[in-house]
């Protein structure tokens, strides 16, 4: 579903990403681990065509994202570290707008409310303007937007950073549901524990390179932490 | 364009309050400007009508005198005679029987009628008198009324709709668009939107469309309302093609400013930087460049000053008087009422005065020509340099469609000058033949009939400005298309 082929991006002298090869299949939750600046966000931005590859290609469903950016975005949902919405619109209005931008005009108000219920946003909050929302509430609307898009692939850029453990746990539950529904999920994260718990595969990145790939079944929490720290030194 | 984004932007704008402030101010400015323009046209018409009515009254008075005199002559069986020029009333034929006196002492005012759109752009009309006095003697009296030292001057003049559109509309447009993309980027919503199947071009076009519709509905709506309230000649096709050209020019000018805002936003800088850059562009194109062009035009082709003209006229007069010779002649030329009745010298004096005027006129002709040439050169220079700024092109176009351009005025001055020769000739001829004016002759005085310029002439002056605006628009609109392909939503 998601595929990087020798994907490389440089910014001037700095190589943000060097020859990345990666596949995320349906039912996979692929967690990218690594220090800040390791190339995790660049990878996600390349899949979204927010930045252009210097060489190599990123593909969604076999389609090159540079050649057909609009087509590939139909298959992608994106949850950034900080979900930013229109403060003057309510949570429900934001959701409706983004759902329609994704081509889903068919949802009734009840359907949209259903998505917000599913991500655990309180009913009374849904009709308040987003400017009053906490970060956790905005992230929930972000997840609802991703759900409403019914995309085959999800790109998550540290989506749970700054969330309390309960919200983080609820988020992981949702990811597992989506995985069960056949989504391909690529998530950049710093949370080794969640990566091991919910992820199916893990990629460790360092200075723009993918230095190791693991299956979460193969390692324990302790092993994962040890391997990760070894790479960081 | 994406109807969903347009509607979404419309909703955001409607909720932000800034839109209402901008549109309210724009509406207020346009309303006031239309009122001010209407008042200006009214004032000009009143001025012309008052002047014409006064002179008509003077001639009517003279005619009544001749009617009374004709009745007396008929009753007494005497001859209908020619009056000497004199200022004190008395017996004998009244002054109205003397064609020279009627032609010299009353002016025929000729007026340039306003177009239906005159109230929308005052243009040069506040410095160029819309009615001119036509007299016997020399053209000097008339030319002195023409503002000769004022080239296209964009800065001065009363508030009119053209000023609001040229100066203020860009500010309102930029206020709504300076952070078009940068605000989405700063808010973080740009990435959210562009993760969806929407291209940046579509997003920008839709955001612009929502704002353009709001602004242009107000501008075109108020323009239309202004035409209906302070405009005139609504039953004439000419008014409507002029208004159509007004709309085209306004749309092009607005498009230019929207496109400039997009272009600056695509540089990817912050909202504050965008605002500063756009304010600089506005200052450059709307204030500095037009002023420089005006300055260059007046420096390169300075019109001889009005003082030069008056001094030259005085010299010519002195010379003519010297050749007139005798001190007594000079005395009588200054005190015509002291000329003894029946004196041959009185008859000669009138002829001499006419000859005198003719020689002054002849001496001044090259000077008139120089004025005319310099004005045309200045105007030509401004026309060539107008392409440096859309504001000059716009001013030029709006003056043209409103009928307040220098070109139309020059045509009027030429018509007035030709009419003055006709007027002068008509009276001089009768007077030199010593032919007394009879009451019925008063109906035969030459009448000024303003001949509107052919539509093709107006268009010939108008299309370079419109075409220039179009070309500039196409350039600025197509530039973002190139920049957009390179833009990356998320930099490092």
């Amino acid at each position: 579903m998601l595929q990087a082929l020798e994907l490389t991006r440089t910014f001037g002298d700095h190589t943000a990403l060097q020859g990345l090869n990666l596949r995320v299949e349906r039912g996979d939750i692929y967690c990218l681990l690594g220090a800040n600046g390791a190339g995790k966000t660049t990878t996600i931005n390349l899949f979204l065509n927010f930045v252009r590859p210097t060489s190599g290609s990123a593909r969604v469903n076999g389609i090159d994202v540079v050649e057909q950016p609009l087509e590939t975005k139909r298959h992608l949902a994106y949850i950034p570290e900080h979900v930013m919405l229109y403060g003057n619109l309510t949570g429900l209005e934001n959701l409706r707008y983004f759902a329609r931008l994704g081509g889903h005009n068919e949802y009734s108000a009840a359907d949209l409310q259903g998505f917000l219920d599913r991500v655990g946003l309180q009913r009374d909050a849904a009709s308040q303007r987003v400017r009053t929302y906490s970060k956790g509430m905005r992230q929930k609307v972000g997840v609802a937007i991703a759900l409403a898009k019914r995309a085959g692939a999800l790109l998550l850029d540290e989506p749970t950073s700054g969330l309390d453990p309960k919200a983080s746990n609820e988020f992981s539950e949702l990811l597992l549901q989506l995985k069960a529904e056949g989504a391909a999920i690529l998530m950049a994260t710093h949370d080794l524990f969640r990566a091991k718990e919910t992820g199916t595969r893990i990629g460790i990145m360092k200075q723009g390179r993918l230095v190791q790939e693991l299956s979460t079944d193969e390692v324990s929490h302790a092993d994962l932490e040890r391997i990760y720290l070894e790479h960081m030194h | 364009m994406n109807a969903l984004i347009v509607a979404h932007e419309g909703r955001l704008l409607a909720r932000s309050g800034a839109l209402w402030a901008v549109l309210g101010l724009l509406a207020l400015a346009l309303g006031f400007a239309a009122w001010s323009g209407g008042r200006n046209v009214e004032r000009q018409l009143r001025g012309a009508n008052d002047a014409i009515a006064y002179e008509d009254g003077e001639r009517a008075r003279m005619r009544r005198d001749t009617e009374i005199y004709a009745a007396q002559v008929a009753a007494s069986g005497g001859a209908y005679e020619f009056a000497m020029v004199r200022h004190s009333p008395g017996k004998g034929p009244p002054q109205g029987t003397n064609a020279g006196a009627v032609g010299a002492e009353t002016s025929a005012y000729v007026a340039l009628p306003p177009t239906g759109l005159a109230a929308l752009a005052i243009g040069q009309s506040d410095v160029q008198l819309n009615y001119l006095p036509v007299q016997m003697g020399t053209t000097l009296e008339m030319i002195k009324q023409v503002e000769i030292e004022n080239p296209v001057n964009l800065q001065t003049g009363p508030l009119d709709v053209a000023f609001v559109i040229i100066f203020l509309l860009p500010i309102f447009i930029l206020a709504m668009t300076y952070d078009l993309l940068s605000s989405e980027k700063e808010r973080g919503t740009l990435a959210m939107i562009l993760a969806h199947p929407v291209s940046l071009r579509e997003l920008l076009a839709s955001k612009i469309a929502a704002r353009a519709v709001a602004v242009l509905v107000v501008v075109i709506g108020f323009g239309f309302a202004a035409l209906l309230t302070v405009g005139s000649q609504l039953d004439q096709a000419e008014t409507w093609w002029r208004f159509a050209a007004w709309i085209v020019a306004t749309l092009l000018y607005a498009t230019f400013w929207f496109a400039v805002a997009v272009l600056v936003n695509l540089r990817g800088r912050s909202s504050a930087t965008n605002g500063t850059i756009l304010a600089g562009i506005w200052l450059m194109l709307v204030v500095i460049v037009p002023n420089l062009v005006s300055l260059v035009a007046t420096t390169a082709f300075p019109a001889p000053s009005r003082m030069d003209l008056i001094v030259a006229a005085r010299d010519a007069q002195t010379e003519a008087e010297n050749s007139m010779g005798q001190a007594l002649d000079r005395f009588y030329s200054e005190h015509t009422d002291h000329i003894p009745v029946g004196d041959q010298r009185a008859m000669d004096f009138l002829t001499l005065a006419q000859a005198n005027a003719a020689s002054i006129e002849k001496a001044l002709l090259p000077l008139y020509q120089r004025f005319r040439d310099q004005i045309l050169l200045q105007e030509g220079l401004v026309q060539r340099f107008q392409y440096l700024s859309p504001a000059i092109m716009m001013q030029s176009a709006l003056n043209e469609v409103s009928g307040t351009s220098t070109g139309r005025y020059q045509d009027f001055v030429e018509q007035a000058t030709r009419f003055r020769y006709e007027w002068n000739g008509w009276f001089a001829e009768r007077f030199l033949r010593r032919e007394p004016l009879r009451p019925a002759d008063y109906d035969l005085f030459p009448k000024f009939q303003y001949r509107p310029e052919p539509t093709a002439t107006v268009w010939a002056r108008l299309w370079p400005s419109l075409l220039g605006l179009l070309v500039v628009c196409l350039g600025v609109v197509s530039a973002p298309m190139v920049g957009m392909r390179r833009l990356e939503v998320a930099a490092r």
Side-chain angles (χ1 to χ4, degrees), chain A residues 9 11 45 50-52 70 73-74 78 80 84-86 88-89 93 97-98 100-102 129 149, chain B residues 4-5 8 11-12 15 184 187-189 191-199 485 487-490 492:
Chain A
R9 169 68 199 214
F11 292 101
N45 281 340
F50 285 177
V51 295
R52 314 277 184 277
L70 297 190
K73 281 173 189 174
R74 282 181 219 289
Y78 170 54
M84 299 313 278
L85 302 163
Y86 293 98
N88 271 344
L89 302 184
E93 284 169 337
Y97 175 57
F98 284 109
R100 288 183 176 171
L101 269 188
R129 292 199 180 182
K149 199 169 178 185
Chain B
L4 171 65
I5 303 178
H8 170 74
R11 178 185 299 189
L12 288 180
R15 283 191 192 176
E184 295 271 9
R187 201 192 296 136
T189 41
M192 295 291 294
I193 295 171
L194 294 180
H196 290 82
V198 176
S199 69
R485 278 196 281 277
L487 189 92
E488 296 191 330
V489 174
R492 190 183 326 201

Side-chain angles (χ1 to χ4, degrees), chain B residues 414-469:
Chain B
E414 270 158 44
Q415 288 191 33
T417 306
R418 279 197 299 274
F419 176 70
R420 199 201 71 81
Y421 286 118
E422 188 189 346
W423 179 267
N424 187 55
W426 195 92
F427 288 100
E429 194 186 317
R430 274 161 186 74
F431 153 72
L432 291 174
R433 285 204 305 260
R434 309 289 189 259
E435 191 180 306
L437 276 187
R438 292 169 193 282
D441 291 334
Y442 277 72
D443 293 329
L444 304 177
F445 291 178
K447 286 192 176 52
F448 179 73
Q449 181 66 48
Y450 175 72
R451 273 177 293 99
E453 293 179 284
T455 307
T457 308
V458 180
W459 274 104
R461 287 196 306 256
L462 180 56
W463 75 257
S465 306
L466 288 183
L467 192 69
L469 280 171

Side-chain angles (χ1 to χ4, degrees), chain A:
Chain A
M1 190 70 199
L2 295 172
Q3 191 180 14
L5 292 169
E6 288 298 323
L7 196 56
T8 301
R9 169 68 199 214
T10 56
F11 292 101
D13 297 338
H14 172 72
T15 303
L17 195 65
Q18 180 64 53
L20 176 73
N21 286 293
L22 185 90
R23 287 181 79 90
V24 185
E25 301 300 341
R26 290 183 177 278
D28 259 347
I29 299 181
Y30 193 115
C31 298
L32 284 176
L33 298 177
N36 291 326
K40 305 188 298 293
T41 296
T42 300
T43 305
I44 286 174
N45 281 340
L46 281 161
F47 273 108
L48 286 164
N49 196 37
F50 285 177
V51 295
R52 314 277 184 277
T54 307
S55 65
S57 68
R59 292 180 183 185
V60 177
N61 233 355
I63 308 167
D64 188 295
V65 300
V66 175
E67 283 165 17
Q68 297 191 47
L70 297 190
E71 180 55 30
T72 53
K73 281 173 189 174
R74 282 181 219 289
H75 303 291
L76 291 176
Y78 170 54
I79 303 176
E81 183 179 354
H82 303 285
V83 170
M84 299 313 278
L85 302 163
Y86 293 98
N88 271 344
L89 302 184
T90 68
L92 198 67
E93 284 169 337
N94 270 289
L95 174 58
R96 181 185 294 124
Y97 175 57
F98 284 109
R100 288 183 176 171
L101 269 188
H104 294 283
N105 295 316
E106 73 275 18
Y107 296 134
S108 65
D111 293 336
L112 295 170
Q113 185 59 56
F115 289 118
L116 293 175
D117 289 344
R118 195 171 156 198
V119 298
L121 188 76
Q122 298 93 316
R123 280 270 167 135
D124 55 341
S127 55
Q128 283 168 12
R129 292 199 180 182
V130 164
R131 100 159 72 82
T132 63
Y133 281 23
S134 67
K135 168 165 182 178
M137 290 159 81
R138 278 188 278 116
Q139 292 304 104
K140 283 175 180 172
V141 176
V143 178
I145 289 169
L147 288 177
K149 199 169 178 185
R150 300 199 186 285
L154 266 76
L155 299 169
L156 315 178
D157 193 356
E158 300 181 28
T160 57
S161 83
L163 291 191
D164 64 60
K166 178 171 170 289
S168 194
N169 180 271
E170 285 167 358
F171 185 78
S172 296
E173 287 301 317
L174 275 166
L175 287 191
L176 291 173
Q177 285 176 29
L178 288 167
K179 171 192 164 195
E181 287 167 18
I185 300 171
L186 177 63
M187 173 163 69
T189 183
H190 286 303
D191 188 339
L192 298 186
F193 175 76
R194 293 270 160 226
K196 161 69 182 142
E197 282 297 295
T198 50
T200 55
R201 291 162 66 218
I202 287 172
I204 299 175
M205 298 189 74
K206 186 179 181 184
Q207 290 167 2
R209 291 173 191 276
L210 184 62
V211 290
Q212 188 165 3
E213 280 190 295
L214 310 158
S215 224
T216 50
D217 316 338
E218 299 165 0
V219 289
S220 66
H221 281 296
D223 289 342
L224 178 61
E225 185 163 12
R226 183 181 49 76
I227 295 168
Y228 178 81
L229 290 174
E230 273 172 14
H231 281 297
M232 293 304 114
H233 285 297

